[in-house]
Amino acid sequence: MPSLMFAALAGLSSFLFLARVRRDPRRFGNGILLGLTFLLLFLPLLAQVAQGSAPATLVAAVTLVVLLCALSVIALALFLIANGVERVRKEGRRPANLLPSRRLQLAPVCG
């Protein structure tokens, strides 16, 4: 029964997502609704795996999705650091281009 509730909420959020994308595809809230739809679809699968009543293929798929989420956070952090280093190299170390805090400048990384 809880999985049916999650499916209904996922259907509602996907309907809202499609309606808002049709009206204005550039809004940030569209991404939030899409992420909420995927989360509501994923939660019943995760609950089934946690209870131990899931087939092995579902356990493998859920494990893969969880690991990919963790790796994507690490990859995002690395790309943001690389972007900051590139910006400092291209724009220089003028006060207007540097981070507000002197401790966050990553001076040893930038050379």
Side-chain angles (χ1 to χ4, degrees), residues 22-38:
R22 188 170 179 182
R23 190 172 59 191
D24 187 8
R26 297 169 294 177
R27 293 189 58 135
F28 181 72
N30 296 338
I32 300 295
L33 283 172
L34 183 64
L36 182 64
T37 300
F38 285 135

Side-chain angles (χ1 to χ4, degrees), residues 1-107:
M1 188 67 176
S3 63
L4 184 61
M5 181 183 66
F6 281 118
L9 289 173
L12 177 67
S13 66
S14 65
F15 175 75
L16 288 173
F17 166 72
L18 291 174
R20 287 181 54 145
V21 164
R22 188 170 179 182
R23 190 172 59 191
D24 187 8
R26 297 169 294 177
R27 293 189 58 135
F28 181 72
N30 296 338
I32 300 295
L33 283 172
L34 183 64
L36 182 64
T37 300
F38 285 135
L39 180 68
L40 289 171
L41 289 175
F42 185 69
L43 280 177
L45 299 176
L46 189 61
Q48 190 177 5
V49 168
Q51 289 175 352
S53 61
T57 55
L58 182 62
V59 172
V62 169
T63 304
L64 181 67
V65 168
V66 169
L67 287 175
L68 285 175
C69 286
L71 288 175
S72 68
V73 170
I74 293 170
L76 177 65
L78 292 175
F79 282 124
L80 285 173
I81 290 172
N83 184 40
V85 169
E86 181 180 340
R87 289 292 106 207
V88 167
R89 285 184 182 160
K90 283 187 175 184
E91 297 176 3
R93 294 181 185 251
R94 293 187 308 264
N97 296 332
L98 293 177
L99 296 171
S101 174
R102 302 293 277 178
R103 290 173 282 175
L104 296 176
Q105 286 183 5
L106 299 175

